[in-house]
Amino acid sequence: MAAERSRADILDAAVHVREAARSATSGATGVDTVLAALSEVMEYDHASLARWDPLRRRHTTLAGSYPDDATAYIETRLHHDPVFPVLRSPARGGLWLRDVPRQLLAASPGFQEVLCPLGIEDGVAQCLFAADGRYVGMLNVSTRRQLRAPDPARAVVTLLTEALAAAVGPRTGPPSKEIAAADTAADARRPGGLTPRELQVLAELTAGRTNREIAERLYITPRTVGTHIEHILAKLDLPNRAAAAARAAAWGIEPSR
């Protein structure tokens, strides 16, 4: 009976996480409330929700409790860690520390230099993807104790990824204060005065895709893609899409996986 109650408690807590994520998405509350609700799903010592900035090629922490050096690693170095390509696979439902092969942990600066000194024994790194497949950010959760196995929280965290992705990525309604600040900074950095959608199209050009292929990836019409390309060429004062692709490559802009 205790196990059943525990499972029911975790599911109830997951509902609260979804509610907190919806509230953060609408801007009614901060992203920190999502992490607070998540602590009822699984106890943790440190956690963070970070948003991926495709222009600066780094993460921006929206809410978190990791020490400064660990936060800096998540923001600027984690995406270069040997573990990252494994956990970024959209097919994976989060990468739990206990499941990472020993040889991969031995090669991971994140584990050796960040988690080990904190005494971390378990936890999960969960990449978050928007509905159109774009990588938008990630959840990191760490504990200093081994979680029980099997743990209902493992499945619940995976089920929460859609709500968590909405909280850090694409949204409707007024953004939260943390996301609004990140967006303001991003607006100032957007090259050539391009809109976010124009930057997406520009990124796709670096892969040599046709208008129809880009349209299928971005869920828009080929005609709309053509209009975006016309605007891109005009704003950047470039003669053709090949020149636009070269400019994007020089800026380090690339399409989402």
Side-chain angles (χ1 to χ4, degrees):
M1 291 297 294
E4 289 299 324
R5 283 198 301 273
S6 175
R7 192 171 293 110
D9 289 342
I10 290 174
L11 291 175
D12 286 342
V15 173
H16 295 154
V17 174
R18 289 180 64 88
E19 292 172 347
R22 291 193 187 100
S23 183
T25 301
S26 70
T29 58
V31 180
D32 57 322
T33 62
V34 181
L35 291 183
L38 188 64
S39 68
E40 299 299 320
V41 172
M42 59 179 291
E43 295 181 11
Y44 59 74
D45 293 288
H46 302 290
S48 74
L49 275 168
R51 188 182 196 188
W52 175 245
D53 185 333
L55 296 183
R56 292 194 297 165
R57 303 290 300 168
R58 57 163 289 167
H59 293 92
T60 298
T61 300
L62 302 180
S65 60
Y66 283 95
D68 290 345
D69 56 344
T71 297
Y73 189 90
I74 292 172
E75 291 187 336
T76 63
R77 297 177 59 196
L78 178 57
H79 53 289
H80 296 302
D81 194 289
V83 174
F84 191 70
V86 179
L87 66 92
R88 182 164 168 170
S89 169
R92 174 174 287 280
L95 184 61
W96 291 77
L97 186 56
R98 75 181 75 162
D99 297 335
V100 182
R102 288 180 178 271
Q103 63 271 24
L104 192 54
L105 288 179
S108 167
F111 180 73
Q112 300 296 334
E113 301 173 14
V114 179
L115 296 184
C116 277
L118 291 176
I120 300 304
E121 295 288 337
D122 213 335
V124 61
Q126 175 77 61
C127 284
L128 306 173
F129 297 87
D132 61 6
R134 288 179 298 110
Y135 173 64
V136 295
M138 69 182 310
L139 165 74
N140 283 282
V141 180
S142 301
T143 76
R144 295 191 181 95
R145 63 181 180 82
Q146 286 280 344
L147 299 174
R148 64 190 177 93
D151 191 334
R154 291 178 66 120
V156 169
V157 170
T158 300
L159 292 174
L160 289 171
T161 55
E162 182 178 346
L164 296 176
V168 303
R171 61 207 172 277
T172 58
S176 67
K177 292 181 180 179
E178 299 96 331
I179 293 179
D183 283 347
T184 299
D187 287 342
R189 293 189 299 270
R190 284 179 189 138
L194 301 182
T195 67
R197 179 62 92 181
E198 287 167 352
L199 285 171
Q200 287 180 324
V201 173
L202 179 62
E204 296 296 331
L205 291 179
T206 66
R209 295 190 173 99
T210 66
N211 287 12
R212 183 170 295 280
E213 290 170 335
I214 295 173
E216 291 175 352
R217 284 176 57 82
L218 300 183
Y219 299 95
I220 55 180
T221 67
R223 178 176 301 220
T224 300
V225 172
T227 299
H228 284 313
I229 292 176
E230 289 178 5
H231 292 166
I232 291 169
L233 297 180
K235 288 181 179 181
L236 302 183
D237 192 23
L238 295 172
N240 52 49
R241 60 197 296 146
R247 179 71 59 85
W251 282 339
I253 297 174
E254 60 185 37
S256 60
R257 297 182 181 181

